[in-house]
Amino acid sequence: MHDAVLAAADLRAMLGADAVLAEPEDLTRYESGWRYGKGRALLAVRPGTTAEVSKVMAYCHEQGLRVMPQGANTGLVGASNPDASGEMLVLSLERLNKRLEIDPINRTAVVDGGVLLSTLNGALAEHGLMFPIDLGADPTIGGMIATNTGGTRLLKYGDVRHNLQGAEAVLADGTVVDVMNHLRKNNTGLDLKQVLVGTSGVYGVITGAVLQVVPVPRQDATALVGCASGDAVLALLKALERELADVFTAYEVISANALSPVFKHHDTIRNPYGGSKPPAYTALVELSSTLPETALNLPEVLEERLGAFLEADGGEGITDVFMGKPEDFWAIRHHISESLRNEGKVLAFDISVPRSRMAAFTDAAVALLAKDYPFVRCCDFGHWGDGGTHLNLVWNEAESPRPTPVIIEELQSRIYELAVRGFEGSYSAEHGVGPHNQRFYDAYTPEPVKAVNQALKQQLDPKGLLGTTRLGPRP
């Protein structure tokens, strides 16, 4: 067992008194995740430079102290929180946020790992630029790299991996790895930065990045399209991509079960369906462009193309079309999770399958629930444009025939098995891997992949000090 008082004294001598937190009341906010994950921290250390991160990691390596790297702690799989041992040091990047350099000609931004997404976009806006990963949370850039964040506009811009040009990381022994590449073309062997992406910080602490950024669109257009079935949703997606791919930015799909609670619990959000029952699905379509309206009027283009689809491409599956302000329609989408929490117990799944199989997968999941869990509602919504869905299952715990933990374990096992084995999908479309879904990583990851991960872990963190996620084989 490590002496917290001694470690705190050593680290304060190294970084300054206010960089180390040791009191239980000060540690609380570092110990619990946004949705999952709760543990106890030995200390919280807040270095302000890459050099200080290096010193902390070298000290922890020498002392055998386990470390949990933490950004804004907005992850959803428990991968940014210490375990229950009380022996892990939380290395917070909240003070590592000074570097923010923008090159508008190269269209890149150089940032510290602790810079918040909102701070980055605020600085980029002065140059008419943005980092195109759109999220409901406000994570750090280091955390976004560690989890390979996706977001609502992945259809157009890709995930973090697609927009990362360089990275800086500190390994477990304090070694600083600088691959801060500013080049779009650099075909010179192993791209080490990509080894760090999406690995939950278990190979190294992300302390810096070179990001590719994009021009802010001058205009956008949105529509809500009612669809009678999942097949109609996919037919519309195919038609929009065929004709509008250059400006097609987002395609979010909301089931009736997920949509109705928004209007039930938020009377300030207008229901476009009025008093009518929503159709099986509602698609939120977004177009955007850097062209001015004088060159291309997006609302007119979207309205005209949707009208043409109704006439020529099977309009029998479309029940409604509403044109409107983007902020109004996105408000509906962004209030779903909050609204569902008012409906009962929510078990959230972050699943992806091939887009062509999304409707069939959802139908199969609903059929499974109807047969064996009739007290559970499927309130699904998400990024059908990139094959992702947030399959939220909701039920009244008072009406459940078995205890909630039992129901959760059953549903997780059966839904993930359906997605991965039945539909060639993923149990984690964009939330990453952490203690919350570790057992499914163990179950579904091929052994050769685990072996490669283990070899990398042994090379980069031989003492196994970083993080709680395990990407290698079970010990």
Side-chain angles (χ1 to χ4, degrees):
M1 180 172 293
H2 293 95
D3 187 327
V5 174
L6 178 60
D10 289 344
L11 290 164
R12 282 173 177 146
M14 188 184 303
L15 306 177
D18 62 348
V20 180
L21 303 177
E23 298 302 320
E25 60 269 24
D26 294 326
L27 296 176
T28 300
R29 69 187 181 94
Y30 301 95
E31 295 175 327
S32 297
W34 203 8
R35 181 179 293 169
Y36 304 109
K38 182 174 176 57
R40 289 194 306 118
L42 180 74
L43 301 167
V45 180
R46 305 179 295 169
T49 66
T50 297
E52 289 185 350
V53 174
S54 177
K55 289 179 182 179
V56 173
M57 292 308 303
Y59 174 83
C60 292
H61 190 262
E62 180 183 341
Q63 299 295 319
L65 273 169
R66 295 171 60 218
V67 177
M68 171 54 71
Q70 188 179 97
N73 200 17
T74 60
L76 296 176
V77 292
S80 59
N81 304 110
D83 62 21
S85 69
E87 289 285 295
M88 293 193 80
L89 179 150
V90 173
L91 194 156
S92 170
L93 300 185
E94 63 190 354
R95 289 186 171 185
L96 187 68
N97 59 6
K98 309 299 187 299
R99 181 172 40 172
L100 205 174
E101 304 160 6
I102 298 168
D103 184 340
I105 301 298
N106 200 41
R107 250 196 317 111
T108 51
V110 178
V111 296
D112 275 336
V115 170
L116 292 170
L117 177 61
S118 60
T119 302
L120 171 61
N121 277 327
L124 287 169
E126 297 178 13
H127 301 274
L129 299 168
M130 67 178 186
F131 189 51
I133 311 298
D134 183 71
L135 303 168
D138 190 15
T140 62
I141 299 303
M144 294 176 72
I145 294 169
T147 56
N148 190 32
T149 309
T152 56
R153 293 180 174 88
L154 188 146
L155 174 68
K156 174 69 173 179
Y157 298 108
D159 53 17
V160 166
R161 187 184 300 278
H162 288 84
N163 294 279
L164 182 67
Q165 290 189 197
E168 176 187 78
V170 177
L171 304 184
D173 65 355
T175 300
V176 178
V177 177
D178 183 345
V179 284
M180 295 284 276
N181 175 37
H182 293 246
L183 305 173
R184 283 174 169 74
K185 301 176 72 174
N186 183 25
N187 193 10
T188 55
L190 175 67
D191 191 358
L192 184 59
K193 70 175 185 290
Q194 296 294 358
V195 173
L196 303 167
V197 177
T199 50
S200 302
V202 299
Y203 294 156
V205 182
I206 307 294
T207 54
V210 182
L211 305 172
Q212 180 173 298
V213 296
V214 301
V216 175
R218 292 191 186 184
Q219 57 165 321
D220 49 20
T222 55
L224 293 179
V225 183
C227 300
S229 67
D231 288 336
V233 171
L234 295 179
L236 177 61
L237 172 61
K238 180 181 177 182
L240 291 170
E241 282 192 323
R242 182 178 64 237
E243 299 188 8
L244 297 170
D246 293 344
V247 293
F248 193 16
T249 311
Y251 192 72
E252 297 289 294
V253 177
I254 310 168
S255 70
N257 282 347
L259 187 64
S260 295
V262 174
F263 306 125
K264 175 181 175 183
H265 297 290
H266 298 277
D267 54 12
T268 59
I269 296 179
R270 188 179 70 84
N271 181 354
Y273 295 104
S276 302
K277 182 180 179 181
Y281 293 100
T282 298
L284 194 169
V285 178
E286 179 188 81
L287 309 183
S288 65
S289 175
T290 57
L291 289 170
E293 291 186 21
T294 53
L296 179 70
N297 188 306
L298 282 185
E300 288 184 2
V301 169
L302 180 55
E303 186 172 9
E304 190 274 330
R305 286 296 84 201
L306 289 173
F309 175 74
L310 288 175
E311 293 180 4
D313 287 345
E316 68 277 1
I318 304 301
T319 63
D320 306 90
V321 174
F322 305 102
M323 301 293 296
K325 296 180 180 178
E327 58 269 27
D328 292 341
F329 290 165
W330 280 108
I332 295 172
R333 165 65 177 81
H334 292 315
H335 280 82
I336 295 172
S337 295
E338 173 192 347
S339 301
L340 292 180
R341 286 194 289 271
N342 292 317
E343 293 288 294
K345 176 64 180 178
V346 179
L347 176 58
F349 291 87
D350 167 42
I351 286 171
S352 65
V353 299
R355 294 192 320 181
S356 56
R357 308 189 71 185
M358 182 64 77
F361 163 72
T362 306
D363 288 346
V366 170
L368 183 157
L369 295 174
K371 178 177 181 294
D372 297 331
Y373 304 89
F375 56 94
V376 176
R377 284 184 293 153
C378 181
C379 302
D380 55 303
F381 68 97
H383 326 299
W384 280 40
D386 56 57
T389 181
H390 298 295
L391 196 80
N392 287 260
L393 306 186
V394 182
W395 68 95
N396 183 338
E397 292 181 274
E399 299 175 358
S400 174
R402 294 184 296 286
T404 294
V406 174
I407 298 296
I408 289 175
E409 184 169 356
E410 290 178 7
L411 287 172
Q412 284 181 329
S413 296
R414 296 190 67 180
I415 294 294
Y416 285 141
E417 183 73 10
L418 179 68
V420 178
R421 303 290 192 208
F423 286 87
E424 303 176 291
S426 170
Y427 61 90
S428 183
E430 61 181 353
H431 291 169
V433 179
H436 176 66
N437 56 11
Q438 179 73 61
R439 66 188 178 104
F440 301 106
Y441 176 90
D442 295 340
Y444 296 123
T445 305
E447 292 304 321
V449 175
K450 293 179 187 175
V452 170
N453 275 296
Q454 184 64 27
L456 287 168
K457 180 71 169 176
Q458 182 62 34
Q459 178 65 36
L460 301 174
D461 181 16
K463 292 185 179 181
L465 300 179
L466 276 168
T468 55
T469 302
R470 178 177 34 78
L471 301 179
R474 190 185 297 274

